[in-house]
Amino acid sequence: MENKSKGFNIPERKTDSVMDLVFEKSVPGRRGFRGPAPDVEGECSLPQEYCRQTALPFPEVTELDCLRHFTGLSRKNFSVDTHFYPLGSCTMKYNPRFTEDCAKHPGFSQLHPLLPQLRQGEQYSQGALQVLFDMDRLLSEITGMDAFTLQPLAGAHGELTGVMLIAAYHRAKGNDKKIILIPDSAHGTNPASATIAGYETVSIPTDDKGEMDMEILEKNINKDVAAVMLTCPNTLGLFNPGIDRIAGLVHAVDGLMYYDGANLNALLGRCRPGDLGFDVVHVNLHKTFSTPHGGGGPGAGPVGVKKALVPFLPVSRVIQTKDGTFALDYDAPESIGYIASFYGNFGVIVKAYAYILLLGRRGLMETSDHAVVNANYMLSRLKDVLPPAFDRACMHECVLTAKTLLARDVHALDLAKYLIDRGFHPPTVYFPLIVKEAMMFEPTECESKEEMDRFIQALRDGVGLSASNPQVLKECPFTMPISRPDEVRAARDLNANFFQSCV
Amino acid sequence: MNPYIANTADDMRAMLQSIGVRSVDDLFSDIKEEFRPRSFNLPEGRSEQEVVSELDRLARKNAYALKLFIGGGYYDHYIPAAVTALMSRGEFLTAYTPYQPECSQGTLQALYEFQSLICALTRMEIANASLYDGGTALYEAMMMAVRITGKKRVVLDGGVSPIYRKIIRSYTNNLDIALVETPVVHGQAHRPDIKALLNNGTAAVILQNPNFFGAVDDFSDIVAMAGSLGVLTIASVYPASLGLLKPPGDMGVDIVTGEGQSLGLPLHFGGPYLGFMATSKKYMRKMPGRIVGQTVDRQGRRCFVNTLQAREQHIRREKATSNICTNEALCAIQAAVFMSLLGPEGMKEWACLNFSKAEFARKVLEQIPGVEVKRSAPTFNEFTVCLPKDAQDVVEAMIQKGFAAGFPLGRYYPGMDRYMIVAVTEKRTRQDILQYAQALREVLGA
């Protein structure tokens, strides 16, 4: 095989430059939109005391200026559409475009959310309610749960909802429980959600196999434990074969098992959280079910529960009546109440629904099989240059460590920046926190072997550079409009508002 | 094989060989036999064409062509085509949270511009890069006030959306926070009630402008009253109104939140929407959500990064100000495009158009015998109407004539069965309004 590891010729810097802010492109008198002329009599006669007295310093740009500005900005992003984006734990798979069309249908996009709250109002949104009802059923079958609420608006919102359901369950049973156990490999959202819902959290360390330390877990199991919150496979990309034992221990003290579904893409058709003993599950539609991440949302984090927790689900719930029509049910005296304004991020739910319908049973199973093979392939081709955090087969993502490069003063961050120059979005770095110099790779099922091979070669080249020319790595990236922002200064001399900065 | 999977059988063989296993199943050996799904009974896959056709069939079952005079915090505004076109760009759509600023400057700069626009609109010092929706943003503001003041009592005005108030109640159920609600008055926030409830053990008073009944207010006196007791004022606002209405920053409000749906987002049966939040710089470290800040790179070039991350869950875990991670970034960028297109004149004209159309509708409707338009306070683009019979019956009959006539208040306010709120946006023409009035006359037999 050709030795490319010395080919660290870095591409020429592109001409893309730092862009002016939209405010700096403003020219008084220009405008980007004209509304209809008033067709009713009467001046804008609101009493002065209620009126805005100050000018609105919005930009004055033409529609073309505005188009060019934001198009120009968009081109400064890496995205799944333009680059391999193996950001671990985020499941950056391809987002099929037909789902966008489905969501944009005026029958969905122009539908007012209060219509079904009119008397007999459900008849005006039967199609939308069917989407919600079907998704409840589909997600329940996929995860092995009894019922879902589709209301949570993101994964962390699902976690908070799930923990509130756990609290309601214990309250109804008269259980006075204060503690939620969370492995130290967990996403930061887990302890944050548990705390915000009113619980204390206890962190359980990871053992030398990359699994929850059973001995310490057992020591911490007692009647105060309300739940254990787990990601499975965990954030190290490992499936814990002792998951049934954990469930047994927790259930023995009437604690509940919470499943963080961030990594569900590994398991479709291979096992279901419900069958493993989990009582509450959230899934991230923007991960496993391929709705676009949008630069950080909108997502959706539906929550599924076992029968014992169904009475506590948020209102409203979509039900099917005897005549086959769909209705909203608010009659749930034990419900935790409203957790969002309406029925969830409906536009996102439509996209995930279309995706599931297209893939179907077999397509979903293929998805996990390919995601897992791809991650293991990357692991197999990288582990000789970057040791795995735990040397065993992974699921849909693998965690390696760049700590061996520290002797050359090269960090995971430097390799990440080098990958940008080679045209790849970096993996997740410095997470999970328990792995020193962690690099977490999640190729997803969508990437081809050739693309992964190019990425692998680039990363191997980067490791090679760490020996031959570490200084170059410290200065990467060279090909982007900017390089190595001063984050300390950003926090110290905070400027988060253009107009404040001008004062 | 489904169309989103790249690797062929040959690729798979080569990869399995590299991995050193014989079959895909070998990679799943940690999933023991007894863990296998008890069922996985899902429909078989379909072609794109078939799925699109199925979704089209479902979408058409919805009453989406009604003339909407229903609002309640969610409004039928026109969305310029340029907004939608920009939002379909894959570089915005299919990127993720800008953890790597060098290859995410597009999202970062657009979010910085969004924050700046929200600050300008509300006349506040700092805004975050979005929260989920207007309701959850108000809950986050309340939690923020509790963190700032260390007090656990909150006064909630009866004019705040009943949906928002229900959300706040759910989230505080398991927490040691006392919620006190002022009685509902259709007009402006009722000063004597609020004054009676405020004390120096109170974290915040929560208000809304315009309130759920449409009444416009100036909270300056409440802010002063609250401030003298060390109580923070939180106001939920309607961004479409702020080209015309006095902004909350000029009233001295401490934390501003709102529902950003009116800024270029479709109604979409309840989401995705856009929560926003703005406050004073002195409270910035207590604010939830992502914040984008300007800085320079190693060559001194201006650039943007996620900042003040020490507040956030991925760093602080259980000590974070909020658990929020994925938010509504794309919706925030959409709102930034919308506000940039409209500009200062456009925002003002838009607000005035909403105001004057609603005023026109008020005048037309109050000429109908038996219809009483509430005039206890000025309104923006929504107002309260008292009907001679049950509002739910009237709205039901109006739908048969093609109008979503308003939102009956009885659902959330027992005893107000004859009241409804009517919203009139720039999308309703003079003719729509006159036809609506005619239909209402027929329904009422007036």
Side-chain angles (χ1 to χ4, degrees):
Chain A
M1 194 172 126
E2 189 189 355
N3 181 4
K4 283 189 186 161
S5 65
K6 285 193 176 150
F8 31 76
N9 29 342
I10 284 150
E12 289 290 303
R13 201 173 125 58
K14 284 186 240 157
T15 49
D16 262 12
S17 61
V18 175
M19 268 177 54
D20 283 347
L21 292 161
V22 68
F23 310 106
E24 294 159 346
K25 295 176 177 172
S26 179
V27 173
R30 288 196 181 141
R31 59 186 307 159
F33 180 73
R34 193 180 63 205
D39 58 356
V40 296
E41 316 55 68
E43 291 296 294
C44 200
S45 59
L46 187 71
Q48 273 301 305
E49 65 210 270
Y50 299 113
C51 288
R52 187 175 192 109
Q53 304 297 340
T54 48
L56 194 56
F58 274 22
E60 297 182 66
V61 293
T62 64
E63 185 175 327
L64 174 60
D65 293 335
C66 186
L67 251 292
R68 282 204 183 135
H69 176 73
F70 286 100
T71 302
L73 284 183
S74 75
R75 294 178 60 199
K76 296 186 183 308
N77 274 358
F78 279 14
S79 62
V80 175
D81 274 13
T82 54
H83 297 80
F84 181 24
Y85 209 120
L87 192 64
S89 227
C90 300
T91 315
M92 300 299 288
K93 58 171 82 177
Y94 170 64
N95 309 127
R97 281 314 188 279
F98 84 99
T99 66
E100 296 295 311
D101 287 354
C102 293
K104 278 186 184 139
H105 193 299
F108 294 131
S109 69
Q110 293 179 15
L111 194 60
H112 197 289
L114 284 171
L115 283 182
Q117 297 189 23
L118 304 176
R119 184 191 293 157
Q120 309 290 326
E122 286 104 339
Q123 59 184 300
Y124 314 123
S125 56
Q126 281 296 302
L129 294 177
Q130 187 179 337
V131 170
L132 296 173
F133 183 83
D134 287 355
M135 272 299 266
D136 172 349
R137 297 290 84 226
L138 289 167
L139 293 175
S140 293
E141 181 64 17
I142 289 169
T143 59
M145 305 306 283
D146 291 314
F148 262 79
T149 172
L150 299 166
Q151 290 184 31
L153 304 171
H157 197 213
E159 292 174 20
L160 179 54
T161 305
V163 177
M164 287 163 69
L165 291 168
I166 289 168
Y169 167 88
H170 288 308
R171 204 162 41 234
K173 289 191 81 174
N175 291 346
D176 182 23
K177 290 171 178 279
K178 301 177 187 69
I179 292 169
I180 293 188
L181 305 178
I182 301 176
D184 60 358
S185 60
H187 297 109
T189 48
N190 290 178
S193 300
T195 305
I196 281 161
Y199 284 100
E200 285 168 42
T201 61
V202 173
S203 177
I204 306 294
T206 300
D207 68 13
D208 55 8
K209 296 192 298 295
E211 294 161 11
M212 196 184 231
D213 190 313
M214 287 302 282
E215 223 169 281
I216 300 180
L217 175 69
E218 280 182 47
K219 274 187 200 145
N220 280 280
I221 292 278
N222 58 51
K223 64 174 178 40
D224 283 341
V225 172
V228 169
M229 258 180 125
L230 279 180
T231 307
C232 177
N234 67 13
T235 62
L236 296 157
L238 305 175
F239 185 91
N240 186 339
I243 191 72
D244 47 345
R245 263 187 73 206
I246 299 175
L249 285 170
V250 177
H251 286 151
V253 295
D254 200 15
L256 297 176
M257 289 285 284
Y258 183 96
Y259 180 88
D260 175 336
N263 293 344
L264 185 64
N265 208 46
L267 300 185
L268 299 170
R270 288 281 176 177
C271 69
R272 307 188 306 170
D275 298 337
L276 299 177
F278 285 96
D279 305 288
V280 184
V281 164
H282 91 257
V283 300
N284 301 69
L285 297 187
H286 49 292
K287 295 181 180 176
T288 312
F289 302 104
S290 196
T291 70
H293 286 65
V303 170
V305 294
K306 288 281 178 63
K307 203 168 267 161
L309 287 103
V310 171
F312 310 111
L313 285 173
V315 284
S316 56
R317 296 205 55 222
V318 182
I319 53 169
Q320 190 164 25
T321 59
K322 285 196 188 104
D323 64 3
T325 59
F326 301 97
L328 290 176
D329 183 13
Y330 288 87
D331 182 21
E334 292 188 280
S335 165
I336 59 169
Y338 280 50
I339 57 108
S341 302
F342 293 103
Y343 324 106
N345 269 343
F346 181 76
V348 175
I349 294 165
V350 170
K351 294 180 204 179
Y353 178 62
Y355 177 78
I356 293 171
L357 290 187
L358 184 134
L359 288 192
R361 180 177 169 277
R362 198 169 315 168
L364 290 171
M365 293 173 74
E366 288 165 357
T367 292
S368 287
D369 283 5
H370 280 254
V372 169
V373 170
N374 283 1
N376 277 285
Y377 177 65
M378 291 188 66
L379 173 65
S380 75
R381 296 279 326 273
L382 287 169
K383 65 181 180 183
D384 60 320
V385 291
L386 293 174
F390 296 91
D391 195 6
R392 56 190 266 197
C394 67
M395 300 300 286
H396 68 305
E397 63 191 2
C398 61
V399 178
L400 308 179
T401 168
K403 69 181 175 193
T404 47
L405 311 186
L406 287 176
R408 306 164 192 163
D409 194 31
V410 169
H411 295 256
L413 187 71
D414 302 319
L415 285 180
K417 301 300 185 193
Y418 174 74
L419 286 169
I420 295 175
D421 272 339
R422 294 290 296 262
F424 299 104
H425 193 286
T428 296
V429 288
Y430 303 108
F431 185 81
L433 306 175
I434 54 167
V435 176
K436 201 171 183 185
E437 297 294 321
M439 299 187 85
M440 182 198 238
F441 303 84
E442 183 181 8
T444 83
E445 70 279 9
C446 302
E447 294 300 334
S448 66
K449 180 172 174 295
E450 304 94 273
E451 188 65 8
M452 288 189 287
D453 283 340
R454 281 191 283 273
F455 179 91
I456 288 161
Q457 189 56 55
L459 190 55
R460 296 182 72 93
D461 290 348
V463 175
L465 261 182
S466 73
S468 60
N469 192 353
Q471 192 50 37
V472 171
L473 283 180
K474 311 294 294 177
E475 292 171 16
C476 289
F478 295 93
T479 55
M480 303 292 2
I482 63 141
S483 183
R484 307 272 180 154
D486 185 343
E487 304 208 8
V488 174
R489 175 171 161 163
R492 189 191 57 211
D493 306 331
L494 184 79
N495 171 358
N497 169 9
F498 173 74
F499 302 102
Q500 270 277 305
S501 67
C502 318
V503 175
Chain B
M1 202 62 67
N2 78 62
Y4 315 128
I5 283 177
N7 290 317
T8 62
D10 283 347
D11 293 328
M12 288 291 265
R13 266 190 296 276
M15 291 196 293
L16 290 173
Q17 195 173 9
S18 169
I19 297 165
V21 293
R22 269 178 301 178
S23 71
V24 177
D25 286 348
D26 290 351
L27 295 172
F28 287 92
S29 59
D30 283 336
I31 301 178
K32 297 183 284 193
E33 192 63 40
E34 61 264 37
F35 293 166
R36 298 286 156 80
R38 284 177 206 158
S39 114
F40 201 64
N41 187 18
L42 297 161
E44 285 307 331
R46 285 184 253 180
S47 68
E48 176 175 324
Q49 185 182 325
E50 289 163 308
V51 177
V52 168
S53 152
E54 168 65 5
L55 271 286
D56 176 70
R57 186 183 70 81
L58 291 176
R60 286 174 192 280
K61 286 182 159 187
N62 301 319
Y64 61 93
L66 296 169
K67 290 252 185 268
L68 297 179
F69 287 82
I70 188 170
Y74 310 90
Y75 300 93
D76 181 26
H77 290 298
Y78 183 77
I79 301 171
V83 174
T84 316
L86 280 166
M87 285 310 106
S88 59
R89 283 196 71 90
E91 300 93 327
F92 281 136
L93 188 68
T94 72
Y96 197 31
T97 303
Y99 292 118
Q100 295 289 343
E102 287 93 340
C103 53
S104 314
Q105 282 297 297
T107 293
L108 285 163
Q109 183 173 330
L111 290 174
Y112 175 87
E113 292 174 353
F114 166 76
Q115 292 169 186
S116 303
L117 287 158
I118 289 294
C119 288
L121 191 64
T122 57
R123 297 267 292 165
M124 300 298 285
E125 290 175 345
I126 184 169
N128 69 14
S130 82
L131 296 167
Y132 305 132
D133 66 11
T136 57
L138 197 57
Y139 144 74
E140 288 277 11
M142 181 199 68
M143 294 300 286
M144 178 177 159
V146 168
R147 281 194 297 277
I148 292 170
T149 60
K151 297 168 188 170
K152 295 197 159 182
R153 181 175 179 277
V154 174
V155 176
L156 193 49
D157 184 59
V160 173
S161 159
I163 295 171
Y164 293 4
R165 282 185 283 133
K166 279 178 183 282
I167 291 172
I168 286 175
R169 285 227 169 262
S170 307
Y171 286 114
T172 48
N173 228 340
N174 210 35
L175 306 176
D176 175 27
I177 292 173
L179 285 181
V180 195
E181 295 198 24
T182 64
V184 173
V185 188
H186 324 142
Q188 296 173 327
H190 197 237
R191 272 56 177 179
D193 287 330
I194 292 174
K195 192 169 184 181
L197 290 172
L198 290 182
N199 59 37
N200 57 17
T202 305
V205 53
I206 302 180
L207 306 160
Q208 180 176 314
N209 190 39
N211 71 12
F212 193 69
F213 305 94
V216 165
D217 208 334
D218 177 355
F219 300 137
S220 303
D221 57 327
I222 298 177
V223 171
M225 191 162 50
S228 68
L229 293 164
V231 178
L232 300 183
T233 304
I234 298 170
S236 177
V237 298
Y238 174 23
S241 72
L242 291 175
L244 173 63
L245 296 195
K246 184 170 179 175
D250 288 348
M251 302 174 189
V253 169
D254 297 288
I255 307 170
V256 176
T257 65
E259 173 52 67
Q261 176 267 325
S262 59
L263 299 171
L265 304 182
L267 285 163
H268 240 146
F269 203 51
Y273 287 165
L274 166 67
F276 63 86
M277 178 186 280
T279 186
S280 317
K281 254 185 141 172
K282 64 181 169 192
Y283 299 135
M284 68 191 186
R285 284 175 211 283
K286 304 282 185 190
M287 183 157 67
R290 298 240 146 86
I291 298 173
V292 176
Q294 183 182 305
T295 184
V296 293
D297 77 347
R298 65 186 167 86
Q299 293 180 28
R301 293 172 292 207
R302 174 167 72 183
C303 58
F304 302 91
V305 294
N306 277 329
T307 193
L308 300 184
Q309 296 191 70
R311 301 163 299 115
E312 292 188 60
Q313 48 75 26
H314 62 286
I315 310 280
R316 286 297 291 278
R317 301 177 77 85
E318 70 278 2
K319 295 187 183 68
T321 59
S322 164
N323 68 333
I324 197 162
C325 179
T326 287
N327 44 82
E328 308 287 309
L330 191 72
C331 303
I333 297 175
Q334 195 161 352
V337 172
F338 179 90
M339 290 187 275
S340 300
L341 272 177
L342 261 66
E345 282 306 306
M347 289 294 290
K348 193 174 169 186
E349 288 169 8
W350 179 43
C352 289
L353 205 50
N354 275 264
F355 174 83
S356 43
K357 294 218 180 199
E359 284 300 300
F360 177 75
R362 262 167 53 139
K363 288 190 189 112
V364 171
L365 295 191
E366 67 192 355
Q367 283 162 14
I368 301 173
V371 175
E372 185 196 350
V373 175
K374 290 293 172 187
R375 284 209 172 269
S376 49
T379 56
F380 173 61
N381 71 349
E382 193 162 23
F383 53 89
T384 306
V385 170
C386 184
L387 297 166
K389 53 188 193 186
D390 190 303
Q392 301 210 54
D393 294 339
V394 174
V395 170
E396 214 176 319
M398 286 290 281
I399 286 193
Q400 304 314 316
K401 294 176 178 290
F403 297 95
F407 188 67
L409 289 175
R411 180 182 183 91
Y412 289 105
Y413 299 94
M416 294 189 74
D417 296 339
R418 290 195 294 121
Y419 290 82
M420 66 174 177
I421 45 173
V422 178
V424 189
T425 70
E426 77 285 353
K427 279 180 80 174
R428 301 290 79 84
T429 63
R430 178 191 186 90
Q431 199 190 2
D432 291 340
I433 296 166
L434 294 173
Q435 284 173 351
Y436 170 96
Q438 182 53 37
L440 187 59
R441 277 176 194 273
E442 288 163 15
V443 165
L444 296 175

